[in-house]
Amino acid sequence: MAHFLPIPFIFTQSNLQSFLNCPYQFYLRYVLHFQWPAAQARDLLQFEADRLAGAHFHQLVHQLFLGVSLPKLSQMAKNDPDSRVASWFEAFTTTFPQTLPGELFPEYTLGVTLGGQELTAKYDLLQCDSGHFTIYDWKTSRRQPSKTWLAGQMQSRVFPLVLALHLDEINQPFTELRMVYWEAAQPERPYIFKSTAQTLAEDQAFILALMRKINRLAPADFHKTEDIQRCQYCRYRSYCNRGTQPPEDDEAFIEAHYLELAAEPEEVVFEDEIS
């Protein structure tokens, strides 16, 4: 591993996506842990409210799958200061199956080693049912992106791969592996992606090459993106002399950061293996 990366350095879908968006952003954020006071959205209060409401919704769903009673959670949702939480939770409980077959692992983190590098994924919910594995991810964005766009994002590639590699490590075969995005904006029409041996092999090759590329780079090789449009949503734009004011269209910001609204924990705690 390159000497300038933090040791140990854990790759995730978030930092890999950051590198693809802008190598220099990756370097500032994940290597230097650089803070810069550029506002990410004009309405900071609304942006923080969006993040907080999304976190509260995730907590409610987590507790639901831990066995907390639905009436109690529904009341908690109604008591939330942000009315969207109750609306999202009601939509979830009326459209998503209350009982799923097999074993369920809510808020579950898995880590694997790929090419000598650590790669982790934290799942909102894992379902294991007689060789059928489903990854569920809850989203509360204002505007739902296209399925084509979502399929190309690192979360859609890293999450299935980490699970497949983990199952291979523990010698547990699977007959189906899929990922389901449940979106509050369209609760009855989730996006479903099914992994095949070919897609998993392609994703593994791509992700391994990407991690190795990052490790080979020297600090001066982390160049700024040539897509200036991305800079208007970046916290480092004023540092890079690419603008000081956040964009007028905050909804565009939310869409651009669709996969980043739920911040990953700084420290990864590994759960017991799926068995």
Side-chain angles (χ1 to χ4, degrees), residues 183-199:
E183 170 59 62
Q186 295 183 203
E188 297 181 351
R189 291 186 290 170
Y191 285 151
I192 301 176
F193 298 95
K194 293 185 178 181
S195 298
T196 65
Q198 179 178 346
T199 60

Side-chain angles (χ1 to χ4, degrees), residues 13-27:
Q13 61 93 5
S14 290
N15 55 42
L16 290 171
Q17 187 68 59
S18 176
F19 180 82
L20 289 178
N21 290 345
C22 175
Y24 194 56
Q25 179 195 78
F26 170 93
Y27 182 68

